[in-house]
């Protein structure tokens, strides 16, 4: 199996907002420490779950610094630095490196739908611009409108800082295709909580998780059980957590997970427009799912 360069359980952190809609840096730090104390090996700030499209660059830099300070020495912190503008992605990745990030999550450029040659040139430029910062390439075609092919990924591995891949195509076949093209030097992470266990079976090293905000210790236990060969134990945990893992995607991420955190006592606020607060139906459904996992 490939080396888990960012650990096995990476939480894609929500961005907390206060009652005025401003980024709550203090709460972000407290949440970051809580996540690390409850199973997370690493954190991603300003990714999809962190609502990066609606954060200013100043907000993103302040959030990264706050989380780095909060978990210093306890966990790795990756910054979401992707953009559909190559120049912006380069600038953001360089800034993340300068601020002390342990890595960057760089999403496939969205909306402009570049061909594979454009994707290769984009990621090559980002990798060359911050050669000492480990990069996790992020493929999520449902949001970006195009997909990074395994063969293109393999060519990008000429850059030594291209070390990991977040596979969020929704297909476990993506892991097999990446392994066939890239070998075991590339650390593949599931981008979907519910596919973590099957992707581990095919050679992934872990997950970039949303559910770990709520069940981080259990997800870490599932991964460790699988790695120890305790397959039945891992399967049992997967089956127990599956309803919540699926329920957290009943609406656009991070609407449900922010509502679930509120139900658990974390006042992280609603998502910024154009996302909207969770409906009462969603909140009631999440409350039932969470209650089913908590001791009575």
């Amino acid at each position: 199996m490939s080396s888990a360069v960012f650990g096995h359980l990476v939480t894609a952190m929500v961005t907390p907002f206060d009652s005025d809609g401003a980024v709550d840096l203090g709460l972000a730090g407290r949440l970051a420490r809580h996540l690390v104390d409850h199973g997370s090996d690493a954190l991603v700030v300003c990714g999809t779950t962190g609502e990066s499209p609606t954060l200013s660059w100043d907000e993103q830099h302040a959030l990264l610094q706050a989380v780095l300070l909060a978990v210093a020495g306890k966990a790795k912190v990756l910054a979401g630095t992707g953009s559909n503008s190559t120049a912006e992605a380069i600038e953001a990745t360089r800034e993340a490196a300068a601020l002390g990030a342990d890595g960057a999550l760089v999403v496939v450029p969205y909306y402009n739908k570049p061909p594979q040659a454009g994707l290769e040139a984009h990621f090559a430029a980002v990798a060359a611009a911050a050669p000492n910062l480990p990069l996790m390439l992020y493929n999520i075609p449902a949001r970006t409108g195009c997909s990074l092919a395994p063969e293109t990924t393999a060519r990008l591995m000429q850059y030594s800082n291209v070390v990991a891949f977040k596979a969020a195509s929704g297909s476990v076949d993506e892991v097999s295709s990446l392994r066939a093209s890239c070998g075991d030097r590339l650390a593949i992470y599931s981008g979907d909580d519910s596919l973590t266990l099957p992707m581990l079976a095919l050679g992934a090293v872990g997950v970039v998780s949303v559910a770990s905000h709520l069940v981080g210790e259990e997800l870490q236990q599932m991964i460790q059980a699988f790695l120890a060969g305790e397959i039945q134990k891992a399967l049992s945990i997967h089956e127990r957590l599956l309803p919540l893992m699926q329920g957290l995607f009943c609406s656009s991420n991070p609407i449900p997970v922010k509502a679930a955190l509120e139900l658990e006592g974390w006042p992280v606020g609603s998502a910024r427009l154009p996302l909207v607060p969770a409906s009462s139906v969603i909140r009631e459904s999440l409350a039932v799912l969470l209650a089913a996992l908590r001791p009575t």
Side-chain angles (χ1 to χ4, degrees), residues 13-29 45-46 50-51 54-64 66-67 258 267-268 270 272:
M13 264 189 67
V14 303
T15 296
F17 299 124
D18 64 22
S19 58
D20 294 321
V23 175
D24 190 330
L25 296 176
L27 183 55
V45 296
C46 308
E51 302 179 68
T54 61
L55 297 174
S56 70
W57 288 117
D58 285 345
E59 288 175 323
Q60 293 188 46
H61 298 156
L63 190 58
L64 173 59
V67 172
K258 293 194 100 172
V268 294
S270 299
R272 279 181 173 172

Side-chain angles (χ1 to χ4, degrees), residues 137-253:
L137 309 187
Y138 178 14
N139 193 40
I140 183 165
R143 284 187 181 259
T144 61
C146 61
S147 185
L148 181 62
E151 297 81 7
T152 307
T153 306
R155 290 193 294 274
L156 288 166
M157 292 183 67
Q158 66 179 289
Y159 298 93
S160 61
N161 55 333
V162 174
V163 297
F165 191 101
K166 180 181 176 182
S169 69
S171 171
V172 295
D173 289 345
E174 185 172 21
V175 178
S176 296
S177 297
L178 285 165
R179 298 267 300 172
S181 294
C182 303
D184 62 4
R185 188 169 72 81
L186 184 70
I188 303 168
Y189 289 81
S190 172
D192 299 282
D193 281 298
S194 62
L195 296 182
T196 303
L197 187 56
M199 285 190 172
L200 286 172
L202 292 171
V205 301
V207 60
V208 180
S209 174
V210 174
S212 52
H213 284 90
L214 306 155
V215 289
E217 290 173 322
E218 293 93 331
L219 281 168
Q220 185 69 260
Q221 289 167 7
M222 181 187 76
I223 295 169
Q224 294 304 323
F226 175 84
L227 295 176
E230 300 175 33
I231 306 304
Q232 190 56 49
K233 179 180 178 181
L235 181 58
S236 177
I237 298 171
H238 165 82
E239 290 174 339
R240 181 170 178 266
L241 299 182
L242 185 60
L244 177 65
M245 292 191 290
Q246 293 175 329
L248 290 173
F249 288 87
C250 65
S251 183
S252 297
N253 181 43

Side-chain angles (χ1 to χ4, degrees), residues 10-154:
V10 181
T11 296
M13 264 189 67
V14 303
T15 296
F17 299 124
D18 64 22
S19 58
D20 294 321
V23 175
D24 190 330
L25 296 176
L27 183 55
R30 294 193 295 277
L31 179 60
R33 287 190 293 271
H34 171 80
L35 293 171
V36 172
D37 289 342
H38 290 81
S40 295
D41 299 311
L43 306 172
V44 174
V45 296
C46 308
T48 303
T49 309
E51 302 179 68
S52 59
T54 61
L55 297 174
S56 70
W57 288 117
D58 285 345
E59 288 175 323
Q60 293 188 46
H61 298 156
L63 190 58
L64 173 59
Q65 289 174 296
V67 172
L68 282 167
L69 181 63
V71 302
K74 294 184 177 180
K76 292 186 176 182
V77 179
L78 291 80
T81 63
S83 173
N84 61 343
S85 161
T86 302
E88 272 196 354
I90 287 172
E91 182 181 356
T93 305
R94 282 176 170 162
E95 183 66 20
L99 291 174
D102 299 294
L105 177 70
V106 190
V107 72
V108 165
Y110 40 86
Y111 185 75
N112 40 23
K113 298 179 70 173
Q116 292 301 309
L119 294 176
E120 182 175 350
H122 172 86
F123 285 113
V126 174
N132 296 318
L133 185 69
L135 304 182
M136 180 186 291
L137 309 187
Y138 178 14
N139 193 40
I140 183 165
R143 284 187 181 259
T144 61
C146 61
S147 185
L148 181 62
E151 297 81 7
T152 307
T153 306

